[in-house]
Amino acid sequence: MTIFKYMRIASLALVAIMTVAGFAALADELKIEAVPSFISCSIYLRGLDKEEQSPSVKYRKTGSDTWLDSYPLVYDKAGKEYRGSVVNLEEDSEYELRVAGKKGVAAAAKFRTWTSSPKIAKTLSVDTMLASTGGRLTITEKGSEDAWIKYTAPKGFALKAAPGGGPAVYLKGAKYIILENLTVSGGDRDAVHVQECENIRIANCDISGWGRIGVQDFHKDGKYYLPNEKKCINNDAGVNIDRSLNVVVERCYIHDPRNRANSWKFSHPAGPNAVFVRSLGGTVLRYNDFIGSDPNRWNDVVEGCDNGFKDGGFLRDADIYGNMLVFGNDDGIELDGGQMNVRFFRNKIEGCYCGVSTAPCLLGPSYIFQNLIVNLSDDSGAGGMAIKNNYGEHGAGQIFYFNNTSVAPNGFTSYGPGSISPFAGDLKGTMRGNILVCNDEPVFPDVFKWRNDFEGDLFFSYRKEINSALQSNLASLGLERKGIFEKPNFRDASYGNYCLTKGSPGSGARMAVQGFTSASSNGRPLDAGAFENSDSSPVPFRPLPVTSDRQQLNFMPGTDASFASQQIMLKCSDANFAGKFSICKNTAFGWLEIEPSEGEISKGAQVKLKVKIRPEKLEGAWIHRGAFLVRFEDGLSRPVTVYVNPETPPNVKIRRDDGVLMRAANCTGFTYQKMTDKDNPDGFIYLSSRDGKAAPDEKGLLFEFNLEKEGDCMIFARVKSEPPVGSHDSFFISVDGSKAERADLRSSAEWSWVCVSRIKESSFELLKLAAGKHSIRLTPREPIMVDSIFVTDKYSGIINPRGY
C-alpha cells in the first residue's frame, strides 16, 4: 500500500477549476483539490513550480463581502504539489477559494463543510437485533450521502459481548452508517472495529471492557503475553479504524480496557489504545474522553499504525480536536506517518509519558495548535517530552506549532536520530506563541541541526543556566527575537487553570498567525499559549456553555483533614441552555466519590459538586491518579482529574508482605552524606564519591536481608537525580559480593521508584536468589540520592513497590 494509491480516493471534493478574470490563459494549468471536514478544509494545488510561484489563498463564506487570508501553503518537492489547510470554518456552510501566484496565475473553487445532521433514511434499534446475533453486532449495510442508516439503543441498554467471537461491533465494507447512543462492553481484541468502510460516525457511545488478558513476562521484556504466544499484546482498541475513509468518533467515553500497558521502566510500552488508526483519510476525533487509569494504562492513548510509512496513521485530512487524552504509558497521541494536512488542536493531554508524537512527519504539513499538555507521568512517575519528533527516518514534512501551553519535564525534541538529514536545509518546524515550561530542556539542541522558524514563544526551564544558553543559541540563528525567557504566572495551575494572570510574562504577547489567530480582540491584546486571556474557557474545548471552576483536584498527605472533601462549581452561561448531567468515572476509580451523581443545570443556576476520597479503597501508599466526567446527555462533558498522595494516609495499611523494603538511612557502614528533605524527614543518602569520580571499589552503601524462599527477584530503588538527569542516573551495584557493575536507572528530578538493571538492553533485571542471607552494595558512579531499595519476587502487574 502506498500513499499515492489513495491520494484521489480520499478526496471528498475534487473541485473543478473556475478561471478568474484576467488569468484565463494560465488557470487551466492548475489543479485544485479541496477536502473539507466539519470546520477545516485541506487544499492541494498542482501546476505551479516552486521556483516561479508562491501561491496565496484567500477564502470566504459564500455571500460574505470579506475575503480572508489562509496560512501560506507549503511545497512538496517530491510530489510537486502545494499543500495547506484552512481552519476555523463553520459547519454545513459553502465556501469559496481563490488562489493567486506571483506571475498572476489564479483559479477559484467552491466546497461545502460537513454537517453534523446528515439525512437519516432508516433507524435501527440494536436491542431488538441482538437475539439473533449472539450479543455481537455486524454491520455491512451501505447507505448513501442523502440516506444514512443509524443504529441506536434505548437508554439503559448495554451491548455486552461475551469472550470469543471478535469485536463487539464489527463494521465491514459499510458506508454511511451512524452508531449513536450505544453502550458497548466487551470484544476480544477491539470493542468496535471499522474495516474498509466509508463515512462512518460513532457518536455519544460509552465503550469499555475489551481486550486480551495476558501475563507480564519478565523473562522477556516485561510486556504482556498470551500463553505460548511470541508476540506481545498490543493495540487492542476501543475503536479500531482499519483502512477506512471519513470515520468520525465524537462525544464518546472510552475507558477501562481489560488489559494494560507496561511502562518504559521495563521496555517500550505495549498495550491497549482508546483508538487505533490506519486511515485512508478524513478521520475526525472530536469532543471525546479517552480516560485511562494506573491499573489499566493505555500504551498510546491514540496510536497510529505504520509510523514510518507515508500512508501510516492518520494519513491525511484529519481533525483531532476538543479531546481529553489521559493516563497513557507512552504518547498522548501519535500523528506520525505521512501527516498530510493533519490538524491537532484544542485538546488536553495529561498523565502520559509524552504528549504529541510527530515522529516522523514524512510528507506534511501538520498543524498543532492551542493544546494544553500537563502533568506528564507514566504509572511509575517518569515523564518525558511535550512534543516528540525523534524517529529513525527524518521526513521532509513541515510541522506548525501555534499557541500551545505545556508544563512538562522536557519540551520540544529533535526531528531525527541526530545525524544530518538530506532535508536539513529545508524548513522543518515553525513555532509561534507557544508556552513551554520545563524541568529540563525546553528545546533539545539537536533541533538546531534543521532550519526552523521560531518567533514569539515563551521558554522557561527551572534550570536557570538552560534559559540563558537557549536564548543565546536561538539569537545566534536569528530566531526568537520577540521570544520570552521568563517564568509565566498561571492563574491556578494546582486546580488545572493554565490561563495567564494579567501582567504575567506572555500576557498580551500573542503574535498574529495568518489564518489561525489575531494578536488582539476588540482592542484587547491576547496572550501567548493555549488561552487567549485570563477568562478563557477550559481546554479541552467543548461547544458546551457549562464550565467548572476547577479542572484538577489534589488530595495531599498529612492529617485527616487532607482527605476532607473538596468541591467544584458548575456554571452555565447560555440563557437558552438546560441540560441533565451524570457523573461518569472508570471502574478503577472506586476510591473516588462525587455527590450528587446526577443533576440538571441551566442559565442562572450553579451546581456544587462534592468530591470525596475513600481512603479504605486506596491500594497502597503511592500517588493515585484519577478522573471523573460531568457528562451531559449528548455526550459532551467537563472532565476533572484527581490526584491523591496518601504517603501517610488514614486507614491505609502499609503492606510489606510483597518483598523486603530497606531504608537507606538505616544502613550502616557507608561513607556518604546523610540528608533530609520535605519528602524524607527521616533522611536519605546522597551517594557521591568525595572526589567526584566513579568509585566502584569504595566501601559503599550496604543492604543486608534474608529471603524465606528461592525466587526470581527484581530490585527497585527509590531515587532522585540532580539535573541534568541524564548525567546523574546510574550507580554501581554488587550483589552478594560480586564485582560491582554499572546499573542504569530511569530516574527523574523527583523521587520515584525505578527498576535496577545491569543489562544495557533492558530497563529491568531478574536475579535468581536462593533462600537465606543476601547483600546488596551500592557505590557511586555519579551523584544520585537514594531513599530505599525494595527486593521482591511479586512484581507481576506491579505499579509501585508496595510498602512505601
Side-chain angles (χ1 to χ4, degrees):
M1 182 189 299
T2 68
I3 190 169
F4 303 105
K5 179 178 179 181
Y6 296 105
M7 285 289 284
R8 301 283 79 85
I9 194 172
S11 172
L12 282 182
L14 184 55
V15 185
I17 298 292
M18 297 181 293
T19 60
V20 178
F23 303 107
L26 293 174
D28 290 341
E29 300 175 10
L30 297 180
K31 295 180 181 179
I32 301 176
E33 183 182 9
V35 187
S37 59
F38 291 105
I39 59 174
S40 307
C41 184
S42 303
I43 301 171
Y44 301 87
L45 178 65
R46 292 192 173 194
L48 292 180
D49 187 276
K50 185 181 181 183
E51 301 303 319
E52 298 179 358
Q53 305 293 336
S54 180
S56 63
V57 177
K58 292 183 179 291
Y59 65 98
R60 69 179 179 183
K61 189 175 179 179
T62 299
S64 172
D65 294 330
T66 304
W67 287 91
L68 304 173
D69 293 312
S70 81
Y71 195 79
L73 304 180
V74 300
Y75 187 70
D76 175 39
K77 293 178 181 177
K80 296 182 179 180
E81 178 178 66
Y82 282 93
R83 304 187 192 115
S85 291
V86 179
V87 300
N88 299 324
L89 304 177
E90 295 180 19
E91 289 189 22
D92 195 18
S93 299
E94 185 178 79
Y95 284 85
E96 301 172 24
L97 291 174
R98 181 168 178 169
V99 182
K102 286 183 177 179
K103 288 191 175 181
V105 178
K110 290 184 178 181
F111 66 87
R112 189 171 193 87
T113 53
W114 295 357
T115 175
S116 293
S117 303
K119 296 178 181 179
I120 307 298
K122 181 170 58 174
T123 299
L124 302 171
S125 188
V126 171
D127 60 316
T128 64
M129 303 169 59
L130 292 185
S132 61
T133 64
R136 282 177 161 77
L137 183 63
T138 299
I139 300 172
T140 58
E141 286 190 274
K142 295 177 175 62
S144 66
E145 185 175 1
D146 294 322
W148 290 66
I149 302 170
K150 179 188 287 189
Y151 289 78
T152 187
K155 186 176 181 179
F157 174 81
L159 190 161
K160 297 182 179 180
V169 180
Y170 180 42
L171 295 97
K172 168 69 172 176
K175 296 182 180 181
Y176 296 97
I177 301 294
I178 297 175
L179 304 179
E180 189 169 24
N181 302 332
L182 296 181
T183 297
V184 179
S185 177
D188 294 334
R189 178 162 184 167
D190 306 316
V192 180
H193 192 139
V194 184
Q195 185 175 14
E196 297 172 351
C197 297
E198 294 181 21
N199 297 295
I200 305 297
R201 297 191 181 181
I202 303 168
N204 193 17
C205 292
D206 183 318
I207 300 171
S208 66
W210 74 92
R212 298 164 290 173
I213 301 176
V215 175
Q216 195 169 17
D217 192 335
F218 296 99
H219 293 280
K220 292 180 181 177
D221 52 10
K223 293 180 173 65
Y224 290 83
Y225 292 82
L226 293 172
N228 304 316
E229 291 284 341
K230 293 183 179 180
K231 291 187 67 175
C232 65
I233 296 173
N234 197 21
N235 303 133
D236 295 5
V239 176
N240 185 337
I241 300 172
D242 182 4
R243 292 165 292 175
S244 294
L245 174 69
N246 301 338
V247 177
V248 177
V249 182
E250 61 177 327
R251 295 175 282 119
C252 290
Y253 173 33
I254 303 182
H255 60 104
D256 286 308
R258 296 199 303 159
N259 49 13
R260 73 183 310 272
N262 62 285
S263 73
W264 274 103
K265 70 184 178 185
F266 300 116
S267 59
H268 190 298
N273 312 118
V275 180
F276 185 65
V277 182
R278 180 165 49 173
S279 173
L280 300 185
T283 300
V284 176
L285 309 179
R286 62 175 186 169
Y287 313 137
N288 299 289
D289 295 297
F290 301 147
I291 311 297
S293 65
D294 281 343
N296 299 99
R297 277 265 171 169
W298 308 119
N299 172 4
D300 301 311
V301 183
V302 177
E303 182 161 351
C305 181
D306 294 334
N307 295 350
F309 294 85
K310 294 176 180 179
D311 57 356
F314 287 92
L315 178 58
R316 56 172 288 173
D317 312 318
D319 282 316
I320 306 106
Y321 60 97
N323 300 287
M324 182 74 170
L325 306 99
V326 291
F327 304 141
N329 272 344
D330 201 11
D331 305 322
I333 188 167
E334 284 187 341
L335 301 180
D336 299 352
Q339 289 185 65
M340 287 198 305
N341 284 312
V342 172
R343 300 166 289 260
F344 182 79
F345 55 102
R346 301 182 189 125
N347 304 282
K348 184 177 184 181
I349 295 177
E350 183 168 358
C352 298
Y353 184 76
C354 289
V356 180
S357 173
T358 64
C361 179
L362 297 175
L363 295 170
S366 62
Y367 303 88
I368 300 169
F369 57 99
Q370 290 181 277
N371 301 287
L372 177 62
I373 303 172
V374 294
N375 296 334
L376 292 185
S377 170
D378 66 7
D379 62 23
S380 67
M385 293 76 69
I387 305 292
K388 184 184 75 176
N389 301 290
N390 52 304
Y391 196 80
E393 186 173 353
H394 300 78
Q398 291 188 40
I399 312 171
F400 298 92
Y401 310 88
F402 303 143
N403 296 113
N404 301 284
T405 294
S406 71
V407 180
N410 289 295
F412 187 94
T413 65
S414 187
Y415 310 102
S419 60
I420 296 297
S421 162
F423 309 111
D426 298 331
L427 183 63
K428 181 66 174 179
T430 299
M431 297 179 69
R432 292 288 187 274
N434 300 281
I435 295 176
L436 278 74
V437 177
C438 303
N439 295 332
D440 210 325
E441 297 274 6
V443 180
F444 277 43
D446 277 356
V447 169
F448 303 113
K449 293 181 179 179
W450 296 71
R451 185 165 72 88
N452 296 290
D453 181 7
F454 296 171
E455 189 59 273
D457 301 289
L458 186 155
F459 300 114
F460 179 78
S461 172
Y462 284 97
R463 289 176 56 198
K464 295 182 179 179
E465 71 277 9
I466 285 184
N467 295 317
S468 57
L470 177 60
Q471 185 174 6
S472 176
N473 192 4
L474 290 165
S476 69
L477 298 172
L479 304 178
E480 295 294 354
R481 288 163 293 186
K482 298 181 180 179
I484 301 170
F485 298 85
E486 300 177 64
K487 182 182 177 182
N489 298 318
F490 300 116
R491 283 193 62 180
D492 200 336
S494 64
Y495 286 127
N497 190 333
Y498 289 88
C499 295
L500 296 178
T501 61
K502 293 180 181 179
S504 165
S507 175
R510 178 171 293 208
M511 296 182 65
V513 179
Q514 182 175 297
F516 281 83
T517 187
S518 61
S520 62
S521 177
N522 296 322
R524 179 183 179 182
L526 301 178
D527 298 343
F531 303 95
E532 292 186 346
N533 55 60
S534 60
D535 299 319
S536 294
S537 296
V539 172
F541 169 77
R542 303 283 164 83
L544 179 67
V546 178
T547 58
S548 60
D549 63 339
R550 297 176 178 181
Q551 292 82 57
Q552 177 181 326
L553 296 177
N554 308 287
F555 292 82
M556 293 293 101
T559 64
D560 290 352
S562 67
F563 282 87
S565 64
Q566 298 186 37
Q567 68 180 41
I568 68 170
M569 190 70 72
L570 304 178
K571 300 178 181 180
C572 180
S573 60
D574 186 344
N576 298 314
F577 178 86
K580 294 181 179 180
F581 67 85
S582 59
I583 302 299
C584 298
K585 61 185 178 71
N586 292 19
T587 302
F589 305 144
W591 44 267
L592 181 59
E593 191 172 282
I594 300 96
E595 299 175 348
S597 60
E598 59 184 22
E600 186 171 357
I601 189 170
S602 59
K603 171 64 178 179
Q606 294 187 349
V607 175
K608 183 187 298 184
L609 298 180
K610 186 178 181 180
V611 183
K612 298 190 296 184
I613 303 301
R614 299 182 63 183
E616 73 278 4
K617 295 285 187 178
L618 297 172
E619 296 183 353
W622 53 77
I623 293 177
H624 287 63
R625 307 168 183 91
F628 66 90
L629 309 176
V630 182
R631 194 164 189 254
F632 289 82
E633 292 179 312
D634 62 358
L636 291 174
S637 77
R638 289 296 175 197
V640 178
T641 51
V642 181
Y643 294 87
V644 183
N645 187 0
E647 295 224 352
T648 55
N651 304 320
V652 176
K653 294 182 179 179
I654 302 299
R655 296 174 57 179
R656 302 179 181 229
D657 56 343
D658 284 351
V660 180
L661 173 71
M662 293 164 282
R663 295 296 306 274
N666 297 333
C667 290
T668 58
F670 59 86
T671 58
Y672 310 108
Q673 186 176 3
K674 181 176 179 179
M675 304 175 69
T676 62
D677 65 12
K678 62 181 178 61
D679 297 316
N680 288 274
D682 296 329
F684 61 90
I685 302 302
Y686 181 72
L687 195 63
S688 177
S689 59
R690 297 186 185 280
D691 59 4
K693 297 180 181 179
D697 299 324
E698 286 193 15
K699 189 174 183 180
L701 185 63
L702 183 66
F703 299 86
E704 295 181 311
F705 60 98
N706 283 285
L707 290 181
E708 294 182 0
K709 60 179 181 179
E710 178 184 291
D712 289 332
C713 295
M714 192 178 295
I715 301 172
F716 291 84
R718 191 171 188 259
V719 298
K720 183 168 75 169
S721 294
E722 297 175 333
V725 171
S727 300
H728 303 90
D729 58 356
S730 66
F731 47 54
F732 292 105
I733 183 171
S734 168
V735 180
D736 293 334
S738 65
K739 179 181 178 181
E741 297 179 72
R742 171 178 172 172
D744 291 306
L745 312 168
R746 296 192 66 86
S747 184
S748 72
E750 303 294 333
W751 285 107
S752 60
W753 284 101
V754 297
C755 294
V756 178
S757 174
R758 296 171 291 183
I759 305 171
K760 291 184 179 180
E761 296 79 17
S762 177
S763 298
F764 71 97
E765 177 183 1
L766 289 183
L767 296 169
K768 182 173 282 296
L769 298 178
K773 186 176 181 180
H774 295 276
S775 65
I776 296 173
R777 187 185 299 274
L778 307 182
T779 50
R781 180 177 178 273
E782 53 202 2
I784 193 168
M785 288 157 271
V786 182
D787 171 288
S788 308
I789 66 169
F790 184 74
V791 181
T792 180
D793 63 352
K794 298 179 181 178
Y795 36 73
S796 180
I798 197 167
I799 297 174
N800 277 311
R802 295 179 180 177
Y804 191 77

